[in-house]
């Protein structure tokens, strides 16, 4: 296959779907990685129609399940030898404390640990690309994020703001740790803040709770297409081909919090993450 190959997680709606369409319009072959097959199939048809491209496919993985991520990685490796772009876009917000199938607090589990495992399982395939790129969708919310290694999953004192900030700090730490490990390879990794985007991120994955609230906020937020612009920029622009280990907003490099810059914590968190997902 001569086309560049991209994977976009959380691709069935919002920014993920907008990213798929934008990449397909640029001539890439895009794998939409979705949790729900029925929603994924509906989004696949929409993406093909909007992009006027048939070079889009659906694959299934639940980032809240270690077993499901391994199953997807096996299926991908059986079909493809290399990967050019991995866009870690999927994200959840839970108003009440919830857990993944493996017992992780859901926001940290899906927004970070699921992507951490997925990315590490696909590193060899990314290294086979001449210009491999990992793009991590974080948020300005990382600036209020804090991490407690004694209570990483909020057994005590959970609230949605703290939980979301923690998961987005985790995204930046992951980006920094991965960039260090990829120095000297053909793979770069960067993170981004998409801005305030009207998506389904705050809608309960099982009950749909929160949809009316999101609709009320739509006029005040960026569209998913606008929110996806920086991710698409980092995935495709020649301007950032040699950039790695940076955080972007509106297609420009942006500052990160002091905590996010702490190299000792980046390393400690990397090893903690490996332990959680069984990589060490």
């Amino acid at each position: 296959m001569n086309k560049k190959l991209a994977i976009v997680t959380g691709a069935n709606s919002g920014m993920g779907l907008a990213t798929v369409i934008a990449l397909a319009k640029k001539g890439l072959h895009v794998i939409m990685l979705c949790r729900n097959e029925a929603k994924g199939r509906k989004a696949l048809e929409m993406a093909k129609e909007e992009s006027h491209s048939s070079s889009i496919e659906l694959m299934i993985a639940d980032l809240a399940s270690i077993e499901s991520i391994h199953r997807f990685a096996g299926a991908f490796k059986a079909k493809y030898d290399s990967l050019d772009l991995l866009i870690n876009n999927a994200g959840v917000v839970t108003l009440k404390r919830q857990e993944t199938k493996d017992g992780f607090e859901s926001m940290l589990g899906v927004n970070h640990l699921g992507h951490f495992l997925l990315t590490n399982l696909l590193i060899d395939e990314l290294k086979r690309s001449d210009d491999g790129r990992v793009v991590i969708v974080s948020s300005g919310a990382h600036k209020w994020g804090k991490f407690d290694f004694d209570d990483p999953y909020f057994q005590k004192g959970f609230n949605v703001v703290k939980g979301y900030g923690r998961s987005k700090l985790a995204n930046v730490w992951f980006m920094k740790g991965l960039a260090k490990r990829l120095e000297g390879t053909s793979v770069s990794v960067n993170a981004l803040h998409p801005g305030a985007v009207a998506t389904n991120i705050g809608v309960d994955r099982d009950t749909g709770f929160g949809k009316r609230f999101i609709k009320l906020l739509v006029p005040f937020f960026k569209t998913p297409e606008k929110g996806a612009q920086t991710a698409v920029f980092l995935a495709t622009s020649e301007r950032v081909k040699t950039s790695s280990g940076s955080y972007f907003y509106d297609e420009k490099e942006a500052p990160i919090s002091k905590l996010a810059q702490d190299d000792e914590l980046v390393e400690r968190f990397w090893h903690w993450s490996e332990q959680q997902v069984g990589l060490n």
Side-chain angles (χ1 to χ4, degrees):
M1 189 174 70
N2 294 326
K3 289 187 173 193
K4 280 197 165 187
L5 176 61
I7 295 173
V8 180
T9 71
N12 66 284
S13 66
M15 256 178 40
L17 180 56
T19 301
V20 169
I21 292 166
L23 293 176
K25 281 180 176 176
K26 288 178 177 286
L28 283 77
H29 181 83
V30 189
I31 294 171
M32 300 175 68
L33 194 58
C34 300
R35 178 181 71 108
N36 182 299
E37 189 160 2
K39 287 179 181 175
R41 290 200 178 284
K42 198 173 170 185
L44 175 64
E45 293 314 308
M46 194 187 304
K48 286 180 174 178
E49 196 178 310
E50 292 265 332
S51 65
H52 305 293
S53 170
S54 59
S55 201
I56 309 173
E57 66 177 297
L58 173 67
M59 294 185 81
I60 302 300
D62 183 356
L63 289 164
S65 163
I66 286 174
E67 182 190 3
S68 179
I69 295 164
H70 276 283
R71 200 181 311 124
F72 162 73
F76 176 82
K77 289 166 192 263
K79 192 170 182 181
Y80 297 105
D81 293 329
S82 65
L83 176 63
D84 298 292
L85 301 171
L86 174 59
I87 301 186
N88 289 339
N89 162 79
V92 298
V93 174
T94 62
L95 300 179
K96 294 179 180 175
R97 188 183 180 280
Q98 295 178 14
E99 290 187 353
T100 69
K101 289 170 183 154
D102 303 293
F104 309 142
E105 183 274 316
S106 285
M107 287 189 279
L108 191 60
V110 173
N111 301 354
H112 167 61
L113 288 169
H115 284 115
F116 179 87
L117 176 59
L118 175 70
T119 307
N120 276 286
L121 292 177
L122 298 177
I123 281 293
D124 288 343
E125 285 67 34
L126 283 158
K127 285 178 178 174
R128 291 191 194 111
S129 169
D130 294 334
D131 180 19
R133 302 189 193 188
V134 180
V135 177
I136 298 171
V137 179
S138 180
S139 164
H142 86 271
K143 291 179 180 177
W144 68 69
K146 291 184 171 62
F147 200 83
D148 182 353
F149 285 95
D150 294 322
D151 184 20
Y153 298 131
F154 286 106
Q155 301 292 347
K156 302 188 288 281
F158 173 85
N159 76 48
V160 60
V161 174
K162 284 182 184 177
Y164 187 65
R166 177 171 294 185
S167 75
K168 296 290 106 180
L169 172 63
N171 291 153
V172 182
W173 276 347
F174 174 37
M175 179 271 289
K176 301 291 278 183
L178 186 59
K180 182 182 172 185
R181 284 160 176 80
L182 290 172
E183 280 175 10
T185 74
S186 60
V187 186
S188 63
V189 53
N190 293 291
L192 67 115
H193 170 45
V197 183
T199 71
N200 288 328
I201 192 169
V203 178
D204 189 284
R205 299 168 104 205
D206 299 314
T207 66
F209 177 78
K211 276 187 179 171
R212 286 179 66 188
F213 176 66
I214 297 295
K215 280 182 182 173
L216 291 173
L217 296 176
V218 165
F220 305 101
F221 283 137
K222 285 185 180 181
T223 63
E225 291 72 25
K226 282 266 167 62
Q229 279 180 351
T230 299
V232 173
F233 166 77
L234 289 174
T236 61
S237 174
E238 286 294 309
R239 277 169 48 202
V240 287
K241 190 172 180 179
T242 57
S243 172
S244 192
S246 296
Y247 173 83
F248 287 79
Y249 175 54
D250 278 349
E251 301 184 7
K252 297 182 188 73
E253 218 171 309
I256 56 174
S257 70
K258 277 192 176 176
L259 199 59
Q261 297 172 50
D262 189 317
D263 290 337
E264 281 186 23
L265 285 174
V266 167
E267 284 305 297
R268 185 180 177 191
F269 184 66
W270 182 279
H271 295 302
W272 177 86
S273 298
E274 284 182 323
Q275 288 172 340
Q276 299 308 297
V277 300
L279 282 179
N280 64 350

